[in-house]
Amino acid sequence: MLQTIAIQNYRSLRELRLDLGRLTVVTGANGTGKSSLYRGLRLLADSARGNVVSSLAREGGLQSTLWAGPAVVGKAVRRGEHEVQGTVRKAPVSLQMGFASDDFSYLIDLGIPPRDERSAFNADPEIKRELVWSGEVMRPSSLLVRRVRQSVLLRDDSRRSTEWVEATSSMRSYDSVLTELVDPVRAPELLAVREQVRSWRFYDHFRTDPAAPARQPQIGTRTPVLDSDGRHLAAALQTIVEVGDVSALQTTITDAFGRSTFAVTESNGRFDLSFSQHGLLRPLNGAELSDGTLRYLLLVAALLSPRPPGLMVLNEPETSLHPDLLAPLARLIVAASEHTQIVVVSHATGLVHELQREPEARVVELVKDFGETRVSGLGPLESPPWNWGHR
Ligand SMILES: Nc1ncnc2c1ncn2[C@@H]1O[C@H](COP(=O)(O)OP(=O)(O)OP(=O)(O)O)[C@@H](O)[C@H]1O
Ligand SMILES: [Mg+2]
């Protein structure tokens, strides 16, 4: 289970450390940084998929996503005696993200490469450091893998005293150790971290317009994991019926829609939904479902996945759901959190209220403090322990 996530210098997250429970609900007013947190986590997950640098570029590049405020807000500014003033940046540009878990923990530090006159890619960020350690807080004695620019050192405990062995000295600036160093013998922890992070799933605003992938009949193959755009929804639901928790599926459909039932139909290998509503003479297919009904079914397919991930992050799952569906959705999320660790980002008071009633749920409210995202009610000294180390 993940214990802590930490993000530094990403958008409004100057430095945010968050303790995670089995179910963590992140809420807060508009503009407090909820989506930034969601996107920061997705960026962290991209490092295990080998595309952290290209994802950052898609977001407008390192300089644009970097925290735009001062490194520290002075006391006089806080008292309102001075405006925030532009100063020359003293510390090197550094965007860092990491997580601590029960077994292995990881951090990545991105920065600007030294200028290379022969290259046209000088705006590309560079991976400056990656660290893997065991246990929660990084200490020199708990470090297992230490990547500094091109060089990767692995801890070797096989001899009497601990030694560091260089695995490579030619890592490319945009490659992560998680994808490039596959060595189950010398670095099994890298493989463990990679598999853990690759299993994370992110669901954000499923499309429900008439051309949405989830509405189209699709060739059906067994689908234990719903795609992030919701395609193959019918196949994913049928997979739950055949190999998943079918009673949880029935429970949540009844909870949400009362006497309505759904089935998956198959014609020439293409799967479609068939939703029978009380009062209608024929069932409705995927193209005919209301946006809210379709979105609820998408969340059901995501949350009841027969292959639960290590972490599932839902961004504003309440979008376009009728308030009556929020309590069933909350119950579905709570049930799913028994099999997978869940983070829900939401500003729907109805959903947050329902989830809050669950003793297991940890509700975190984000607030904005001089442009910076902070956890409400948590002073700097009460944040979970975290050590970024040095370059
Ligand atoms: N590079 C940056 N440095 C500092 N602050 C930034 C930067 N980029 C964006 N912001 C600010 O971060 C804030 C958080 O935005 P975000 O989209 O995460 O809010 P939100 O909590 O998701 O809001 P909403 O509920 O409206 O979706 C915004 O107020 C934005 O002005
Ligand atoms: Mg948002």
Side-chain angles (χ1 to χ4, degrees), residues 163-174:
E163 284 179 28
W164 288 91
V165 180
E166 186 161 73
T168 168
S169 58
S170 55
M171 281 289 290
R172 280 176 297 221
S173 64
Y174 45 87

Side-chain angles (χ1 to χ4, degrees), residues 26 46 55 95 102 124 151 172 197 244 247 254 282 312 382:
V26 179
D46 281 334
S55 299
L95 188 166
D102 291 339
D124 260 17
S151 157
R172 280 176 297 221
V197 180
S247 84
T254 311
R282 66 164 181 86
M312 189 179 294
E382 295 156 305

Side-chain angles (χ1 to χ4, degrees), residues 353-366:
H353 180 74
E354 290 297 333
L355 289 170
Q356 218 158 15
R357 291 158 40 149
E358 196 55 38
E360 281 282 290
R362 179 182 305 226
V363 180
V364 176
E365 190 189 355
L366 299 183

Side-chain angles (χ1 to χ4, degrees), residues 113-262:
R115 213 179 153 70
D116 176 0
E117 295 306 334
R118 293 160 307 170
S119 170
F121 297 107
N122 280 302
D124 260 17
E126 174 179 64
I127 301 177
K128 297 282 187 186
R129 288 188 307 152
E130 287 178 286
L131 304 176
V132 173
W133 64 96
S134 67
E136 286 178 40
V137 182
M138 192 262 287
R139 288 186 211 90
S141 60
S142 61
L143 269 179
L144 300 169
V145 179
R146 198 166 65 188
R147 179 241 179 113
V148 179
R149 299 194 55 200
Q150 286 106 318
S151 157
V152 184
L153 301 177
L154 306 177
R155 183 192 197 91
D156 179 4
D157 283 321
S158 63
R159 274 160 252 195
R160 196 169 291 188
S161 62
T162 300
E163 284 179 28
W164 288 91
V165 180
E166 186 161 73
T168 168
S169 58
S170 55
M171 281 289 290
R172 280 176 297 221
S173 64
Y174 45 87
D175 281 334
S176 162
V177 286
L178 297 184
T179 52
E180 298 309 300
L181 242 148
V182 191
D183 189 335
V185 178
R186 285 199 303 164
E189 55 280 351
L190 278 180
L191 227 55
V193 170
R194 182 179 76 179
E195 291 316 300
Q196 144 88 310
V197 180
R198 276 196 183 170
S199 83
W200 296 0
R201 275 175 227 156
F202 294 82
Y203 292 107
D204 180 24
H205 293 117
F206 287 117
R207 271 178 61 191
T208 54
D209 57 284
R215 291 194 185 277
Q216 319 306 322
Q218 306 262 357
I219 299 287
T221 52
R222 288 189 177 84
T223 307
V225 179
L226 183 71
D227 288 87
S228 59
D229 66 359
R231 71 183 62 228
H232 307 299
L233 170 63
L237 289 168
Q238 184 61 26
T239 308
I240 297 171
V241 170
E242 291 188 18
V243 301
D245 190 345
V246 69
S247 84
L249 177 62
Q250 277 155 356
T251 305
T252 189
I253 298 288
T254 311
D255 196 13
F257 305 112
R259 282 203 267 165
S260 304
T261 55
F262 94 94

Side-chain angles (χ1 to χ4, degrees), residues 27-28 34 316 318-319 326 345-354:
T27 182
K34 301 181 298 298
E316 301 186 347
E318 69 277 0
T319 311
L326 296 183
V345 177
S346 167
H347 61 190
T349 42
L351 180 64
V352 175
H353 180 74
E354 290 297 333

